[in-house]
Amino acid sequence: MCTLTFIPHLKSTTDFILTSNRDESPNRKTIFPKLYFEEGMEMCYPKDELAGGTWIGASSRKRLVCLLNGGFEAHNRLKHYRKSRGLVVKELLAATDTFSFLEKTELNKIEPFTIVSVDWNKKLELHQLVWDGNEKQIKQISVSPQIWSASMLYSSETKKEREQLFLKFINEEREFDREDIMGFQKKFVIDRELVKTTSITQFVHSQKTSEMRYLDLQTGKTISTRMKF
């Protein structure tokens, strides 16, 4: 939930690869990704055992949602919040329309976050919601290679450095292979005193199928789940 890249296929209007590093306390337990049937539809996501939400998930709405900690800049955390941000991810996965949900959903007393949503119902669409604790900014983003870094862990200078590394990577590659992208993401694995990169989740969508691959960096175990949406 802290370093995210999106890379669309060069020759397809719907195919893409999205990869997310989760930087979190290694003591926070996660249930490996699997298929759930919720809100009348299929969803696939790794579940945060504590709050029941997730930082990344896909649904049969033909939508993928990923969350990063913080808004535009780092914030001071409150002792209590109304609900987990990870539950907002699940609500968006089930929503009928992405933009309408982002515009109308009430975020008061929810910790600041950034959400990136990818829709491929008819064509690829990329939306971003930034909630800073007081106001939200919603915008549609160009369907082109993108990188995000969470504001709670990374300064603006570090973000710029990462953007330059990503630009170099994009310019060096003509056809983007999932393994190459996974290797690039591993450059951003961190191991700090209280926070580590605990997992990397990669979602690959093609015209025929979708697959979520989850790499648990603490055990080295990889779980792959295929979906028909």
Side-chain angles (χ1 to χ4, degrees):
M1 65 198 297
C2 293
T3 303
L4 171 66
T5 59
F6 168 83
I7 300 178
H9 196 282
L10 294 174
K11 298 179 181 179
S12 169
T13 58
T14 57
D15 297 4
F16 67 91
I17 299 176
L18 182 144
T19 313
S20 166
N21 289 19
R22 190 188 195 201
D23 301 338
E24 185 58 84
S25 166
N27 298 321
R28 189 156 184 168
K29 295 182 179 180
T30 301
I31 299 171
F32 285 0
K34 64 179 183 178
L35 287 169
Y36 297 90
F37 191 78
E38 301 178 17
E39 302 294 331
M41 69 194 65
E42 279 191 312
M43 295 185 185
C44 180
Y45 59 88
K47 181 182 288 188
D48 179 72
E49 194 173 277
L50 179 65
T54 187
W55 67 98
I56 185 170
S59 76
S60 51
R61 293 283 190 198
K62 296 186 177 179
R63 180 179 300 134
L64 175 67
V65 180
C66 188
L67 179 144
L68 297 92
N69 281 327
F72 294 108
E73 56 187 31
H75 60 274
N76 295 320
R77 300 190 69 182
L78 304 179
K79 290 184 179 181
H80 301 286
Y81 288 99
R82 179 166 59 87
K83 68 177 177 181
S84 168
R85 297 166 293 186
L87 297 177
V88 178
V89 173
K90 291 177 61 178
E91 290 169 2
L92 177 52
L93 287 174
T96 304
D97 179 75
T98 297
F99 188 81
S100 178
F101 174 86
L102 296 179
E103 191 174 47
K104 295 178 181 179
T105 188
E106 175 56 57
L107 300 176
N108 186 41
K109 296 182 180 179
I110 295 178
E111 188 171 359
F113 62 83
T114 299
I115 270 182
V116 175
S117 175
V118 187
D119 287 81
W120 62 93
N121 198 11
K122 294 181 180 179
K123 61 178 181 178
L124 269 181
E125 291 187 352
L126 198 59
H127 289 89
Q128 175 184 283
L129 164 65
V130 180
W131 166 246
D132 66 4
N134 296 301
E135 297 180 341
K136 56 184 175 181
Q137 182 197 86
I138 306 166
K139 66 178 180 180
Q140 189 165 348
I141 301 173
S142 168
V143 179
S144 59
Q146 307 282 349
I147 185 170
W148 294 262
S149 299
S151 296
M152 285 300 286
L153 283 177
Y154 305 107
S155 65
S156 57
E157 290 77 12
T158 300
K159 288 182 181 181
K160 290 178 182 177
E161 290 174 1
R162 287 170 164 226
E163 289 168 3
Q164 290 301 314
L165 286 172
F166 183 64
L167 183 61
K168 181 180 179 182
F169 172 69
I170 292 298
N171 288 336
E172 288 176 349
E173 297 289 330
R174 293 187 178 181
E175 295 293 337
F176 297 102
D177 180 84
R178 60 185 303 169
E179 298 299 338
D180 292 335
I181 297 171
M182 183 67 80
F184 177 77
Q185 291 281 147
K186 288 180 179 178
K187 293 180 180 180
F188 302 127
V189 169
I190 65 170
D191 187 353
R192 302 180 184 178
E193 185 176 356
L194 299 176
V195 178
K196 297 182 179 182
T197 306
T198 57
S199 63
I200 302 176
T201 306
Q202 187 173 69
F203 186 86
V204 180
H205 173 69
S206 67
Q207 293 180 352
K208 296 182 179 180
T209 187
S210 299
E211 181 181 4
M212 180 177 287
R213 183 169 60 163
Y214 179 88
L215 170 60
D216 185 332
L217 293 173
Q218 299 185 91
T219 64
K221 186 175 182 179
T222 299
I223 297 292
S224 295
T225 307
R226 289 187 177 272
M227 293 145 275
K228 294 181 180 180
F229 50 77

